Amino acid sequence: NTMIRRYISLFLVLCMVLTYVPMTVSAKTVDKGYTGSVQWKFDSNGVLTIFGEGGMGAFSTDLGTSAAPWRQYSTMITSVVIEKGVTTIAPGAFYGCGNLTTISIPSTVSFIGEMAFYRCWNLSEITIPESVTSIEEYTFGYCRNLATVVIPETVTSIASNAFEGTAWYDNR
């Protein structure tokens, strides 16, 4: 009887200790592949990561064979991480990623293509790196919630409709 109480006490202490140990569950890779000279992976937390050296492939904004390879996950992507080494963001790369809320663009990116973030409705802020010199047509078109935009002095050309349909454009 005393032995059973000791085991139960030990079990309860162990349970209490385990509740204070932080448990981390890493995201599982859902899909991955190559585009242009870089790689991509999409994980179960909704994070799309682009990595490697060089630029992305060329994409179309339609659902055909030339659409971005992660297009089938466009409604599930909530965050895009572009790692240092990637040099271009292809036209239409994140077209229609309506649930995208955060994007990090490294200083190695020197070109962001037209319609790259078109209709990313939930994107609320963007910082363009100093390595970029122009912002193409509809690059951030109809990103309705885009209210904070940081554009460095190195950007010398901005298409008249680059930010059309954004809160930032409507309130300036």
Side-chain angles (χ1 to χ4, degrees):
N1 200 9
T2 306
M3 197 64 133
I4 292 174
R5 285 186 190 157
R6 285 185 183 170
Y7 283 124
I8 291 173
S9 296
L10 182 62
F11 177 74
L12 291 174
V13 168
L14 184 60
C15 287
M16 289 176 20
V17 168
L18 287 177
T19 61
Y20 291 104
V21 175
M23 299 286 202
T24 57
V25 178
S26 61
K28 293 185 184 340
T29 298
V30 174
D31 202 354
K32 60 185 177 178
Y34 291 85
T35 175
S37 56
V38 297
Q39 297 179 59
W40 65 274
K41 69 178 179 178
F42 176 65
D43 72 29
S44 58
N45 287 339
V47 178
L48 175 65
T49 304
I50 314 291
F51 57 99
E53 300 289 324
M56 292 182 189
F59 310 127
S60 161
T61 54
D62 65 24
L63 296 174
T65 57
S66 60
W70 49 80
R71 176 71 183 218
Q72 64 184 320
Y73 305 109
S74 63
T75 60
M76 295 181 272
I77 295 170
T78 58
S79 179
V80 171
V81 176
I82 301 173
E83 293 185 355
K84 190 173 182 179
V86 176
T87 57
T88 64
I89 298 175
F94 308 106
Y95 178 100
C97 292
N99 292 315
L100 177 63
T101 57
T102 60
I103 172 86
S104 70
I105 304 173
S107 61
T108 54
V109 170
S110 60
F111 175 79
I112 303 173
E114 65 184 42
M115 299 178 89
F117 297 95
Y118 190 79
R119 292 188 176 173
C120 291
W121 295 317
N122 287 310
L123 189 62
S124 61
E125 61 182 80
I126 189 73
T127 299
I128 308 293
E130 291 185 5
S131 50
V132 173
T133 58
S134 67
I135 302 175
E136 306 297 316
E137 300 212 4
Y138 293 108
T139 298
F140 297 97
Y142 297 93
C143 294
R144 293 185 282 216
N145 293 314
L146 186 59
T148 304
V149 177
V150 178
I151 302 172
E153 291 181 13
T154 55
V155 174
T156 56
S157 173
I158 301 175
S160 63
N161 55 10
F163 294 95
E164 188 171 301
T166 66
W168 179 79
Y169 182 80
D170 294 343
N171 294 323
R172 61 185 180 101

